[in-house]
Amino acid sequence: MTALALAPTTPRTAHRAPGIRWLFRLHRPALYAWLGLVLVLALALVWLWGPLTDSAAVAWRQYRDECANGGPCRYDQDTIVRYKDVYAYTTAALTGLPFLVAAWAGASLFGRELEHGTAQLAWTQSLSPTRWLATKLAVPAVLVTAGTLLLVALHRLMWSAGDGRIDTAKSWYDDMTLHTNGPTTVAFALTGLAGGALAGLLLRRTLPAMSLALGLVAVVRVLTSQVLPHLWPAVTRVTSLADGYGGSGLGVDSGLVTSTGAHIADPGCGPTGVVSGCDKVYAGLDATGFYSTYHPESHFWPLQLAATALVLVVAGLTATAAFLLLRRRTATSSAA
C-alpha cells in the first residue's frame, strides 16, 4: 500500500471540519505572510505612484533646466536615485511573486502535507481527496489572484504616472515592466499554484516538490517572453539607408530590404554616411533600406491578453493533471 493509501475501514466522523476553515487553520502563518507582503508592496507602489514620482519629476526638470545649459548644476539627485531604487525593488518583488507562490505551494501546501501524512489523515476523517485538492487550489487561487491583481494595477498606475516625466523610467516593453504592468503576472502566479499541486502529488516530498514547481514557473515565464511578440500581428516600418532603423517598441525582427523587397540580414555596418565604406557594402547586397518589425505601445493590451490566456491554459492543464494524478493514485490505493 502506497503513501497515498486511504484507510477504508476508518469511518468518516459525523462532524466534518469545513474544508476552508481547516485550510485557514493549517496555513494561517502563510496567510498572514501573504497579506503582509501584499500590504507592504501596495504601500510602496502607492508611494511611487504619487509623492515619489512627483518629486523625481521635479528633480529631472531641475536637471534639464540647470545642468543641460552648462551652468551650475543643482538638482535633487537623491530623489532620482531613490525613485530608481524603489521602482527596481518593487518591480523585482512583483516579478518574484509567482515563484514565491510556486515554492509555497510545492513545499508547504502540498509536498509537506503528503510527506507527513496530514493530507491522508484529512481524507479519512473530514475531506474526500477530490474535495481536499479542490479546496486547496480554489481558496489560495482567490487570495493569490486578488492580491497579485491589486499589485499589478498599482504598478500600472505608478508606471503611467512616471511615463514621459522620468527620464530614466523603464520603457513599456522592458521585460519585467511589461509583465508587472499586466495580468500575465497573475497568470504566472496561478501557474505556480497549480504547478505546486502537481509537483507535490507527483513527488510527495517537500524540497523536490518545491524545486519542480519553481522550475515549471521559470520555464513558463521564459517561454512566454519568447512567444509573446508573435501572439499579435506586428508593424513593419521601412526606412532609408541614411536614416537607419525607425520605430520604437517591442522588437520582433529587423534587417535590410533589397530592391526586390526581400528581407535579408543586416551586416552591422550602420547608416550610410556614418561609417565609410557602407555604401559599397549595401550596393553589393542590393540593399535599399532598413526594415524594423515591432509592436508599438498600442499593442500592449492585445499582447497582454493573448499571453495571459495562453498561460491560464497552461495553469488549467496543470491543475487538471493534478486531479487526474490524485484520482489514479487514490483509486489504486483503495483497490490495494
Side-chain angles (χ1 to χ4, degrees):
M1 191 172 292
T2 66
L4 286 178
L6 298 175
T9 60
T10 303
R12 296 187 183 275
T13 59
H15 302 285
R16 298 183 178 183
I20 296 178
R21 185 184 304 172
W22 160 78
L23 181 62
F24 280 142
R25 184 170 61 248
L26 191 62
H27 295 281
R28 188 179 303 166
L31 172 62
Y32 293 157
W34 173 255
L35 294 177
L37 178 60
V38 170
L39 178 60
V40 170
L41 286 178
L43 291 175
L45 289 170
V46 169
W47 181 37
L48 271 170
W49 177 18
L52 194 51
T53 293
D54 292 341
S55 299
V58 170
W60 274 112
R61 187 164 60 248
Q62 292 174 343
Y63 176 82
R64 290 190 295 269
D65 292 343
E66 298 189 17
C67 301
N69 298 326
C73 190
R74 296 184 298 269
Y75 67 101
D76 191 354
Q77 184 179 14
D78 292 339
T79 298
I80 292 176
V81 173
R82 187 180 304 113
Y83 172 90
K84 183 178 180 180
D85 289 343
V86 176
Y87 182 95
Y89 295 147
T90 53
T91 302
L94 188 48
T95 300
L97 278 187
F99 295 92
L100 181 63
V101 171
W104 171 71
S108 178
L109 189 60
F110 293 99
R112 186 176 63 185
E113 290 197 25
L114 289 165
E115 183 177 11
H116 293 171
T118 307
Q120 294 87 327
L121 180 62
W123 300 344
T124 61
Q125 294 185 351
S126 60
L127 296 172
S128 67
T130 301
R131 185 184 172 192
W132 171 84
L133 180 56
T135 302
K136 290 177 75 67
L137 282 175
V139 175
V142 171
L143 295 173
V144 166
T145 300
T148 309
L149 193 59
L150 170 65
L151 295 177
V152 165
L154 289 175
H155 192 282
R156 175 71 181 176
L157 290 171
M158 174 271 296
W159 177 86
S160 299
D163 186 30
R165 301 171 63 198
I166 309 298
D167 290 17
T168 54
K170 294 292 185 180
S171 61
W172 72 269
Y173 51 87
D174 172 75
D175 184 70
M176 292 177 65
T177 299
L178 173 64
H179 290 294
T180 52
N181 270 351
T184 51
T185 296
V186 181
F188 291 144
L190 293 176
T191 301
L193 179 62
L198 181 60
L201 289 167
L202 186 64
L203 301 177
R204 288 172 285 167
R205 294 178 59 193
T206 303
L207 292 180
M210 180 182 67
S211 300
L212 181 58
L214 286 171
L216 176 62
V217 174
V219 169
V220 170
R221 198 189 190 290
V222 170
L223 291 179
T224 301
S225 294
Q226 292 180 348
V227 304
L228 184 142
H230 308 285
L231 297 178
W232 194 260
V235 173
T236 298
R237 181 177 179 182
V238 177
T239 52
S240 69
L241 293 174
D243 293 335
Y245 289 108
S248 175
L250 181 62
V252 178
D253 193 16
S254 61
L256 298 176
V257 181
T258 67
S259 60
T260 62
H263 290 178
I264 61 175
D266 183 358
C269 196
T272 56
V274 177
V275 180
S276 60
C278 284
D279 291 343
K280 294 181 179 179
V281 173
Y282 294 143
L285 295 172
D286 190 29
T288 59
F290 294 97
Y291 78 91
S292 178
T293 303
Y294 66 99
H295 291 283
E297 189 173 354
S298 60
H299 288 190
F300 171 80
W301 283 113
L303 289 171
Q304 272 285 333
L305 295 177
T308 300
L310 180 62
V311 177
L312 286 178
V313 168
V314 174
L317 292 175
T318 305
T320 301
F323 276 101
L324 293 175
L325 178 62
L326 177 65
R327 180 180 300 178
R328 189 187 70 177
R329 288 193 167 176
T330 52
T332 302
S333 300
S334 298

